[in-house]
Amino acid sequence: MGKVEELHARHILVDSEEKAREIIGKLDGGAKFEDLAGEYTADPSGKGNGGDLGYFAKTDMVPEFSDAAFALETGAYTKDPVKSQFGWHVIKS
């Protein structure tokens, strides 16, 4: 059995592209991802842990999310919101 590639990431889930773009603007301005996750994320499990998703394989998440997350360099965040069936994500690897 081959080795499965895993990634550690955080995310902020919101209900609109505009809100996600606002969050990206705040990140661009130097805001801390973990603080914004606690303030904005609609993911109940992410409120108290800075949006931390832990480690996951590419197949563990919906394709839109996985493709964006696995394309990021370590420590980077998505510069454009990522749309999935759950809403709009800002993702940090």
Side-chain angles (χ1 to χ4, degrees):
M1 193 166 178
K3 184 180 178 203
V4 175
E5 182 182 7
E6 289 187 323
L7 174 75
H8 181 256
R10 297 177 180 274
H11 83 132
I12 301 170
L13 175 66
V14 293
D15 62 1
S16 72
E17 181 178 9
E18 294 74 26
K19 181 58 73 176
R21 289 196 182 282
E22 178 185 329
I23 291 165
I24 291 167
K26 290 180 182 218
L27 289 168
D28 289 345
K32 191 173 175 187
F33 194 95
E34 294 82 351
D35 293 341
L36 294 176
E39 183 177 347
Y40 291 104
T41 194
D43 178 0
S45 64
K47 283 266 185 215
N49 69 358
D52 193 347
L53 296 169
Y55 285 89
F56 56 89
K58 196 167 188 176
T59 57
D60 291 339
M61 301 292 182
V62 294
E64 304 88 352
F65 187 96
S66 287
D67 290 347
F70 276 82
L72 289 170
E73 292 187 23
T74 301
Y77 56 88
T78 51
K79 296 297 184 176
D80 288 306
V82 177
K83 175 80 168 116
S84 79
Q85 67 200 48
F86 303 104
W88 294 89
H89 307 265
V90 179
I91 306 166
K92 179 181 178 188
S93 72

